[in-house]
């Protein structure tokens, strides 16, 4: 329940555009409050821990292929596939923090991103050192929306009935 301003039960929220919440951060990225720093540190440690666990699982899978004795070509192919997919997933995830991804491209890369999930986790880990992942993009969009809102609301001043008519 939101705070009320004491006038007819109207909520005390600022007029204009509202910030878009980020995953795991909500809207704490706007003013860096309500545990923003703790969340960044926690998510950095968590994403690195999950990436390390994922690498361990991949190692166990690789050892399973070695035990199955399927050959060095298939083992090499698996290593190269995970390395390339992780690098592409890292790059795609990193660029997604600074610009909105194309939905069609995102859908077509879903399988590749699933295979290269370690790269996505590492991109998330490294991005948390500078900001909440995606904060710069959301902040720019929010500031632009606030500026446009301010232009629209401050433009209307004076009594419109006293306005001179154009000829």
């Amino acid at each position: 329940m939101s705070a009320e301003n004491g006038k007819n039960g109207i909520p005390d929220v600022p007029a204009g555009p509202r910030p878009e919440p980020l995953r795991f951060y909500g809207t704490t990225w706007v003013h860096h409050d309500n545990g923003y720093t703790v969340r960044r540190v926690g998510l950095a440690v968590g994403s690195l821990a999950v990436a390390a666990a994922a690498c361990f699982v991949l190692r166990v899978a690789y050892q399973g292929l070695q035990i199955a004795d399927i050959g060095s070509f298939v083992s090499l192919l698996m290593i190269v596939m995970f390395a390339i997919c992780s690098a592409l997933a890292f790059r795609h995830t990193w660029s997604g923090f600074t610009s909105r991804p194309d939905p069609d491209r995102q859908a077509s890369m879903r399988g590749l991103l699933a295979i290269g999930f370690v790269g996505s986790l590492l991109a998330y880990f490294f991005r948390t050192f500078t900001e909440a992942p995606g904060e710069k993009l959301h902040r720019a969009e929010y500031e632009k929306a606030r500026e446009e809102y301010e232009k629209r609301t401050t433009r209307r001043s004076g009594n419109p009935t006293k306005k001179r008519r154009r000829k």
Side-chain angles (χ1 to χ4, degrees), residues 32-119:
H32 294 190
D33 58 354
N34 295 331
Y36 170 82
T37 306
V38 174
R39 289 180 193 199
R40 269 186 52 194
V41 170
L43 288 169
V45 170
S47 63
L48 185 62
V50 171
C55 288
F56 177 75
V57 169
L58 290 175
R59 181 174 179 245
V60 169
Y62 178 74
Q63 287 176 342
L65 290 176
Q66 283 184 329
I67 292 170
D69 194 30
I70 58 171
S72 61
F73 177 72
V74 174
S75 297
L76 179 68
L77 194 63
M78 186 184 110
I79 292 170
V80 169
M81 176 198 62
F82 274 107
I84 291 172
C85 288
S86 291
L88 290 172
F90 181 93
R91 187 183 133 305
H92 180 75
T93 303
W94 190 266
S95 67
F97 295 142
T98 56
S99 64
R100 294 277 180 182
D102 179 31
D104 294 332
R105 185 171 185 262
Q106 185 85 7
S108 68
M109 291 187 68
R110 189 171 294 135
L112 184 129
L113 293 173
I115 294 169
F117 64 99
V118 175

Side-chain angles (χ1 to χ4, degrees), residues 1-15 18:
M1 190 146 117
S2 63
E4 293 180 1
N5 66 3
K7 298 177 186 173
N8 299 326
I10 300 170
D12 192 19
V13 294
R18 297 205 186 354

Side-chain angles (χ1 to χ4, degrees), residues 107-161:
S108 68
M109 291 187 68
R110 189 171 294 135
L112 184 129
L113 293 173
I115 294 169
F117 64 99
V118 175
S120 293
L121 289 169
L122 291 176
Y124 199 88
F125 168 73
F126 286 120
R127 192 56 170 211
T128 55
F129 286 122
T130 57
E131 65 176 4
E135 178 181 345
K136 184 183 281 186
L137 171 67
H138 284 75
R139 188 172 301 283
E141 291 174 349
Y142 177 62
E143 294 298 325
K144 183 178 177 187
R146 292 289 306 169
E147 287 175 12
E148 289 174 358
Y149 175 77
E150 292 298 323
K151 281 182 185 178
R152 284 194 311 266
T153 56
T154 57
R155 188 180 306 153
R156 300 178 194 138
S157 60
N159 188 347
T161 58

